[in-house]
Coordinates of all heavy atoms in Angstrom, one line a residue:
T15 N 1.5 22.9 -14.9 CA 0.1 22.6 -14.4 C -0.3 23.6 -13.3 O 0.5 24.2 -12.6 CB 0.1 21.2 -13.8 OG1 1.1 21.1 -12.7 CG2 0.4 20.1 -14.8
V16 N -1.6 23.8 -13.3 CA -2.2 24.8 -12.4 C -3.3 24.1 -11.6 O -4.0 23.3 -12.2 CB -2.7 26.0 -13.2 CG1 -3.4 27.0 -12.2 CG2 -1.7 26.6 -14.0
Y17 N -3.4 24.4 -10.3 CA -4.4 23.8 -9.5 C -5.1 24.9 -8.6 O -4.4 25.8 -8.2 CB -3.8 22.8 -8.5 CG -3.2 21.6 -9.2 CD1 -1.9 21.5 -9.5 CD2 -4.0 20.5 -9.6 CE1 -1.3 20.4 -10.2 CE2 -3.5 19.4 -10.3 CZ -2.1 19.4 -10.6 OH -1.6 18.3 -11.2
A18 N -6.4 24.7 -8.4 CA -7.1 25.5 -7.4 C -6.5 25.2 -6.1 O -6.1 24.0 -5.8 CB -8.6 25.2 -7.4
D19 N -6.4 26.2 -5.2 CA -5.8 26.0 -3.9 C -6.5 24.8 -3.1 O -5.8 24.1 -2.4 CB -5.9 27.3 -3.1 CG -5.0 28.4 -3.5 OD1 -4.1 28.0 -4.3 OD2 -5.2 29.5 -3.2
S20 N -7.8 24.7 -3.3 CA -8.6 23.7 -2.5 C -8.2 22.3 -2.9 O -8.5 21.4 -2.1 CB -10.0 23.9 -2.7 OG -10.4 23.8 -4.1
V21 N -7.6 22.1 -4.1 CA -7.3 20.7 -4.5 C -5.8 20.4 -4.5 O -5.4 19.2 -4.8 CB -7.9 20.4 -5.9 CG1 -9.4 20.7 -5.9 CG2 -7.2 21.1 -7.0
K22 N -5.0 21.4 -4.3 CA -3.5 21.1 -4.3 C -3.1 20.0 -3.4 O -3.6 20.0 -2.2 CB -2.8 22.4 -4.0 CG -2.8 23.4 -5.1 CD -2.0 24.7 -4.6 CE -2.1 25.7 -5.8 NZ -1.4 27.0 -5.3
G23 N -2.3 19.1 -3.9 CA -1.9 18.0 -3.1 C -2.8 16.8 -3.1 O -2.5 15.7 -2.7
R24 N -4.0 17.0 -3.7 CA -5.0 15.9 -3.8 C -5.4 15.5 -5.2 O -5.6 14.3 -5.5 CB -6.3 16.3 -3.0 CG -6.1 16.5 -1.5 CD -7.4 16.7 -0.8 NE -8.1 17.9 -1.3 CZ -9.3 17.8 -1.9 NH1 -9.9 16.7 -2.1 NH2 -9.9 18.9 -2.3
F25 N -5.4 16.5 -6.1 CA -5.7 16.2 -7.5 C -4.4 16.4 -8.3 O -3.6 17.2 -8.0 CB -6.7 17.2 -8.0 CG -8.1 17.1 -7.4 CD1 -8.4 16.3 -6.3 CD2 -9.2 17.8 -7.9 CE1 -9.7 16.2 -5.8 CE2 -10.4 17.8 -7.4 CZ -10.7 16.9 -6.3
T26 N -4.4 15.5 -9.4 CA -3.3 15.6 -10.3 C -3.7 15.5 -11.7 O -4.5 14.6 -12.1 CB -2.3 14.4 -10.0 OG1 -1.9 14.4 -8.7 CG2 -1.1 14.5 -10.9
I27 N -3.3 16.5 -12.5 CA -3.6 16.5 -13.9 C -2.4 16.0 -14.7 O -1.3 16.4 -14.5 CB -4.1 17.9 -14.4 CG1 -4.6 17.9 -15.8 CG2 -2.9 18.9 -14.3 CD1 -5.3 19.2 -16.2
T28 N -2.7 15.1 -15.7 CA -1.7 14.6 -16.6 C -2.3 14.5 -18.0 O -3.5 14.5 -18.2 CB -1.2 13.2 -16.1 OG1 -2.3 12.3 -16.1 CG2 -0.5 13.3 -14.8
K29 N -1.4 14.2 -18.9 CA -1.9 14.0 -20.3 C -1.0 13.0 -21.0 O 0.2 12.8 -20.7 CB -2.0 15.3 -21.1 CG -0.6 15.9 -21.5 CD -0.9 17.2 -22.3 CE 0.3 17.7 -23.0 NZ 0.0 18.8 -23.9
D30 N -1.6 12.3 -22.0 CA -0.9 11.4 -22.8 C -1.2 11.8 -24.3 O -2.3 11.5 -24.8 CB -1.5 10.0 -22.6 CG -0.7 8.9 -23.4 OD1 -0.2 9.2 -24.4 OD2 -0.7 7.8 -22.9
T31 N -0.3 12.5 -24.8 CA -0.5 13.1 -26.2 C -0.7 12.0 -27.2 O -1.5 12.2 -28.1 CB 0.7 14.0 -26.6 OG1 0.8 15.0 -25.6 CG2 0.5 14.6 -27.9
A32 N 0.0 10.9 -27.1 CA -0.1 9.8 -28.1 C -1.5 9.3 -28.1 O -2.0 8.8 -29.2 CB 0.9 8.7 -27.8
K33 N -2.2 9.3 -27.0 CA -3.6 8.8 -26.9 C -4.6 9.9 -27.0 O -5.8 9.6 -26.9 CB -3.8 8.0 -25.6 CG -2.9 6.8 -25.5 CD -3.2 6.0 -24.2 CE -2.3 4.7 -24.1 NZ -2.5 4.0 -22.9
N34 N -4.2 11.1 -27.1 CA -5.1 12.3 -27.1 C -6.0 12.3 -25.8 O -7.2 12.5 -25.9 CB -6.0 12.3 -28.3 CG -5.3 12.8 -29.5 OD1 -4.3 13.6 -29.4 ND2 -5.7 12.4 -30.7
M35 N -5.4 12.0 -24.7 CA -6.1 11.9 -23.4 C -5.5 12.8 -22.4 O -4.3 13.0 -22.3 CB -6.0 10.5 -22.9 CG -6.7 9.4 -23.7 SD -8.5 9.5 -23.8 CE -8.9 9.0 -22.1
V36 N -6.4 13.4 -21.6 CA -6.0 14.1 -20.4 C -6.7 13.5 -19.2 O -7.9 13.2 -19.3 CB -6.4 15.6 -20.6 CG1 -6.0 16.4 -19.3 CG2 -5.6 16.2 -21.8
Y37 N -6.0 13.4 -18.1 CA -6.6 12.8 -16.9 C -6.6 13.7 -15.7 O -5.7 14.6 -15.6 CB -5.8 11.5 -16.6 CG -5.6 10.6 -17.7 CD1 -4.4 10.5 -18.5 CD2 -6.6 9.6 -18.0 CE1 -4.3 9.7 -19.5 CE2 -6.5 8.8 -19.1 CZ -5.3 8.8 -19.8 OH -5.1 7.9 -20.9
L38 N -7.5 13.5 -14.9 CA -7.5 14.2 -13.6 C -7.7 13.1 -12.5 O -8.8 12.5 -12.4 CB -8.6 15.2 -13.5 CG -8.6 16.1 -12.3 CD1 -7.4 17.0 -12.3 CD2 -9.9 17.0 -12.2
Q39 N -6.7 12.9 -11.7 CA -6.8 12.0 -10.6 C -7.3 12.8 -9.4 O -6.7 13.8 -9.0 CB -5.4 11.4 -10.3 CG -5.3 10.5 -9.1 CD -6.1 9.2 -9.3 OE1 -6.0 8.7 -10.4 NE2 -6.8 8.7 -8.3
L40 N -8.4 12.3 -8.8 CA -9.0 12.9 -7.7 C -8.8 12.0 -6.4 O -9.3 10.9 -6.4 CB -10.5 13.2 -7.9 CG -10.9 14.2 -8.9 CD1 -10.6 13.8 -10.3 CD2 -12.4 14.4 -8.8
N41 N -8.1 12.5 -5.4 CA -7.9 11.7 -4.2 C -8.5 12.5 -3.0 O -8.7 13.7 -3.1 CB -6.4 11.5 -4.0 CG -5.8 10.6 -5.0 OD1 -6.4 9.8 -5.6 ND2 -4.5 10.9 -5.3
S42 N -8.8 11.7 -2.0 CA -9.3 12.3 -0.7 C -10.5 13.2 -1.0 O -10.6 14.4 -0.5 CB -8.2 13.1 0.0 OG -7.1 12.3 0.3
L43 N -11.4 12.7 -1.7 CA -12.6 13.5 -2.2 C -13.5 13.9 -1.0 O -13.6 13.1 0.0 CB -13.4 12.7 -3.2 CG -12.8 12.8 -4.6 CD1 -13.3 11.7 -5.5 CD2 -13.1 14.1 -5.2
K44 N -14.1 15.0 -1.1 CA -15.0 15.6 -0.1 C -16.4 15.7 -0.7 O -16.6 15.9 -1.9 CB -14.5 17.0 0.3 CG -13.0 17.0 0.7 CD -12.6 18.4 1.0 CE -11.1 18.5 1.4 NZ -10.6 19.9 1.6
P45 N -17.4 15.7 0.2 CA -18.8 15.8 -0.4 C -19.1 17.0 -1.2 O -19.8 17.0 -2.2 CB -19.6 15.7 0.9 CG -18.8 15.0 1.9 CD -17.4 15.4 1.6
E46 N -18.4 18.1 -0.8 CA -18.7 19.4 -1.5 C -18.0 19.4 -2.9 O -18.2 20.3 -3.7 CB -18.1 20.6 -0.7 CG -16.7 20.5 -0.3 CD -16.4 19.9 1.0 OE1 -17.2 19.0 1.4 OE2 -15.5 20.3 1.7
E47 N -17.3 18.3 -3.2 CA -16.7 18.2 -4.5 C -17.5 17.4 -5.5 O -17.2 17.1 -6.6 CB -15.3 17.7 -4.4 CG -14.3 18.7 -3.7 CD -13.0 18.1 -3.4 OE1 -12.8 16.9 -3.2 OE2 -12.0 19.0 -3.3
S48 N -18.7 17.0 -5.0 CA -19.7 16.4 -5.9 C -20.1 17.4 -6.9 O -20.1 18.6 -6.7 CB -20.9 16.0 -5.0 OG -20.6 15.0 -4.1
G49 N -20.6 16.9 -8.1 CA -21.0 17.7 -9.1 C -20.6 17.2 -10.5 O -20.1 16.0 -10.6

């Protein structure tokens, strides 16, 4: 897994191949991360 420096320790990417899903958990969100 690879992360931008600005999100390391706060965002987590995972996947569930059986469900064909990829997830991004976003924690401690900041206003500049809106979009």
Side-chain angles (χ1 to χ4, degrees):
T15 55
V16 180
Y17 296 96
D19 288 343
S20 61
V21 306
K22 285 179 181 177
R24 298 187 298 118
F25 290 11
T26 304
I27 189 170
T28 56
K29 71 176 189 176
D30 185 333
T31 301
K33 296 181 179 179
N34 281 335
M35 298 289 292
V36 177
Y37 306 99
L38 185 68
Q39 178 69 39
L40 290 67
N41 295 330
S42 302
L43 281 161
K44 306 174 183 179
E46 56 266 34
E47 292 170 333
S48 295

